[in-house]
Amino acid sequence: MEIILMGHGHFASGLLSSLELIAGTQERITVIDFIESMSSEELEEQLRQSLKDKTEVLILCDLLGGTPFKVASLQAYQKEEQEIQVIAGTNLPLLLNVALSYHQRDDDLIEKLTADACKGIVSAKNLLSKSSANDWEDGI
């Protein structure tokens, strides 16, 4: 499965940079940054080029309803010959999970990925009230 990461500004390239700091170089991830000087047509063309010669693609977008999500969803709908899944609300836990499990051929993969990503959104106050602050001194 190929992965395309899209978002406003440098969200996508920044997220990939963070992922590679944690998990090493990622050869199966393509980044498309939707920067201020781009039109939605230019974004769509970049996505079309990135989708060429790919049969199974997961597109991760930053915002539900944002231009990257709309463009990706339209391409997924139009490209019936390709298996394209689109997820909005991408965060680093989701991307890390994708990077570590992209080779799986699981029918429930998308549901598992989105559920796990939601589990990564927590309040530090609530989390620390349930554990000792010393448990988090060294990070992950």
Side-chain angles (χ1 to χ4, degrees):
M1 174 188 318
E2 300 292 326
I3 300 158
I4 298 175
L5 185 55
M6 300 176 69
H8 293 83
H10 297 286
F11 173 84
S13 56
L15 205 54
L16 179 60
S17 174
S18 296
L19 173 66
E20 289 183 335
L21 181 65
I22 296 168
T25 302
Q26 302 294 311
E27 296 178 10
R28 291 184 163 259
I29 298 179
T30 300
V31 169
I32 302 175
D33 285 325
F34 182 43
I35 57 174
E36 186 176 351
S37 61
M38 288 175 69
S39 67
S40 58
E41 291 80 15
E42 290 171 311
L43 180 67
E44 184 176 350
E45 181 57 30
Q46 278 194 15
L47 179 57
R48 253 193 243 116
Q49 292 301 318
S50 295
L51 288 170
K52 276 188 178 177
D53 304 321
K54 292 179 173 67
T55 56
E56 189 177 3
V57 182
L58 175 60
I59 303 174
L60 303 174
C61 301
D62 57 352
L63 294 172
L64 176 64
T67 302
F69 177 78
K70 290 176 185 176
V71 167
S73 297
L74 184 60
Q75 287 299 304
Y77 180 75
Q78 292 175 343
K79 305 273 186 189
E80 293 180 12
E81 69 280 3
Q82 294 172 297
E83 185 179 330
I84 301 173
Q85 296 281 342
V86 181
I87 295 178
T90 299
N91 57 27
L92 188 54
L94 171 64
L95 186 57
L96 184 58
N97 202 348
V98 167
L100 298 175
S101 61
Y102 72 88
H103 58 281
Q104 294 179 1
R105 299 289 185 247
D106 186 344
D107 290 337
D108 297 328
L109 180 61
I110 301 301
E111 287 77 22
K112 289 176 185 175
L113 291 171
T114 54
D116 287 348
C118 290
K119 290 177 190 174
I121 300 172
V122 298
S123 158
K125 183 177 180 180
N126 291 342
L127 182 65
L128 292 175
S129 69
K130 296 177 185 175
S131 66
S132 167
N134 294 331
D135 294 341
W136 298 92
E137 285 181 2
D138 293 331
I140 55 172

